[in-house]
Amino acid sequence: MRRHQSYNGLACGERGAAAAIGNFDGVHLGHQSVIALARAAAAEIDAPLGIVTFEPHPRAFFAPNGPAFRLMDAEARAHRLAKLGVDQLYELPFDAELAALDAETFLRQVIAGGLVIRHLVAGADFRFGKGRGGDADLLRRLGPELGFGVTVAPLVTDAAGDYSSTAIRKALTEGRPEDAARMLGHWHRVEGEVLHGDKRGRDLGFPTANLSLSGLHQPRFGVYAVIVDVLDGPHKGRHKGAASIGARPTFGVNVPNLEVHLLDFNGDLYGARISVALVAFQRPELKFDGVDALIARMAEDVLETRSRLASLSQP
């Protein structure tokens, strides 16, 4: 998959895709239905499959001091989209210049002019352009004039309602990773580079790999059974693990992070990029009276994790 951070100066072979457009935060089943329609269009017109998205997320641009909300960062999103067979990923820089473009100018200048999109697929609720002035009706009206086909994808729902990033955030906030996975079509993952921490886990007999949650929506604090994919380095591969998400209250006031203990693993992961899939919530975060009580509970947590992961079916 080729990634592009501009719509200008693309080579001929990098333009002319059949593309899905949106923010694709989480790449949930609703997003996947949009991408599937773009894939079908790409096959029909013999074009590469593309994704048109924005970085940073427009919500972060307009409210930079708002609470963290993203389900995945740009790297994790690209990783997930590559798994879906995307050929060209256009990560348009969402800055003041792009935000100022009205909807029609965006279509003429960016979609038709810069990217030379041959077919564009958007969700029925997609809005674009200055003041969110563009919608599905404008796409249908201007697409043929500008030389690209248009498909508007219906919203994907189940008995619980629409598949949406908002509903997934709610499930994670409430400690329901199984419900999040049902809407995502895959486990929710926290992905990033393993950072140096305070190394308490190693001293306690449960060494951990630490990931930052900066900029990401924080799931319910507590202990989870997880699957860990080490994405690079000498330990590349899949492992089972027990993870703690939270602020570690036993040791004072700390910045929330994710710490994961890989089961039956011995190695150095510092600097490696890992992807931690939240499989099951085991218990809320607790403050212990002392280290001995914490160690005893961590041992219980690991035993429960082994039991939960013993017979695992992957979403």
Side-chain angles (χ1 to χ4, degrees):
M1 183 179 74
R2 297 289 303 276
R3 293 175 70 179
H4 312 280
Q5 278 75 45
S6 174
Y7 58 89
N8 293 314
L10 297 175
C12 183
E14 298 169 338
R15 300 183 295 171
I21 187 169
N23 292 309
F24 300 102
D25 188 24
V27 195
H28 57 64
L29 288 175
H31 297 145
Q32 291 174 47
S33 71
V34 177
I35 295 169
L37 289 171
R39 181 181 293 106
E44 184 175 345
I45 63 176
D46 192 24
L49 172 60
I51 295 290
V52 180
T53 190
F54 308 93
E55 191 60 36
H57 192 294
R59 177 173 161 183
F61 173 82
F62 288 113
N65 298 319
F69 66 92
R70 289 185 69 156
L71 294 170
M72 53 174 49
D73 64 15
E75 290 297 322
R77 180 179 61 191
H79 186 226
R80 176 58 56 178
L81 291 171
K83 287 184 175 182
L84 295 177
V86 171
D87 300 307
Q88 304 289 341
L89 173 57
Y90 309 105
E91 296 173 321
L92 304 183
F94 199 89
D95 52 18
E97 180 181 354
L98 190 64
L101 295 181
D102 63 73
E104 183 170 339
T105 302
F106 173 77
L107 293 180
R108 292 183 181 278
Q109 181 175 312
V110 178
I111 298 301
L115 300 178
V116 196
I117 296 298
R118 294 175 61 193
H119 195 100
L120 191 67
V121 183
D125 59 349
F126 180 65
R127 298 291 183 274
F128 62 97
K130 184 178 180 179
R132 294 168 55 86
D135 58 12
D137 288 339
L138 184 66
L139 285 175
R140 291 190 184 99
R141 179 167 60 84
L142 283 183
E145 176 186 329
L146 297 176
F148 60 87
V150 171
T151 300
V152 176
L155 298 179
V156 177
T157 65
D158 67 3
D162 294 344
Y163 291 150
S164 70
S165 299
T166 299
I168 293 164
R169 292 186 198 102
K170 184 175 187 293
L172 294 170
T173 298
E174 295 174 355
R176 297 184 284 111
E178 298 91 343
D179 288 340
R182 175 182 55 80
M183 292 181 279
L184 286 164
H186 53 84
W187 292 312
H188 174 67
R189 290 177 173 270
V190 179
E191 186 173 315
E193 180 181 331
V194 176
L195 306 173
H196 285 275
D198 51 29
K199 299 178 175 61
R200 285 199 192 97
R202 182 177 60 190
D203 295 337
L204 298 174
F206 296 92
T208 59
N210 303 306
L211 294 183
S212 171
L213 295 174
S214 177
L216 298 178
H217 174 79
Q218 295 179 1
R220 185 182 179 187
F221 287 1
V223 173
Y224 292 79
V226 301
I227 293 295
V228 181
D229 288 309
V230 180
L231 302 178
D232 53 24
H235 301 293
K236 184 177 181 180
R238 174 161 288 191
H239 307 267
K240 296 178 179 179
S244 173
I245 296 177
R248 307 171 299 291
T250 302
F251 300 101
V253 179
N254 302 280
V255 175
N257 73 346
L258 182 152
E259 297 180 299
V260 58
H261 172 68
L262 277 62
L263 307 183
D264 308 314
F265 175 82
N266 182 27
D268 185 350
L269 290 175
Y270 291 121
R273 189 168 182 87
I274 67 173
S275 178
V276 181
L278 305 187
V279 176
F281 180 81
Q282 294 186 187
R283 65 165 174 85
E285 182 174 54
L286 302 171
K287 182 178 181 179
F288 294 90
D289 292 334
V291 171
D292 289 343
L294 173 59
I295 292 174
R297 188 55 188 267
M298 291 171 71
E300 294 176 8
D301 292 335
V302 169
L303 285 175
E304 182 178 348
T305 295
R306 289 186 185 277
S307 177
R308 287 177 178 267
L309 298 180
S311 56
L312 182 66
S313 61
Q314 300 184 19

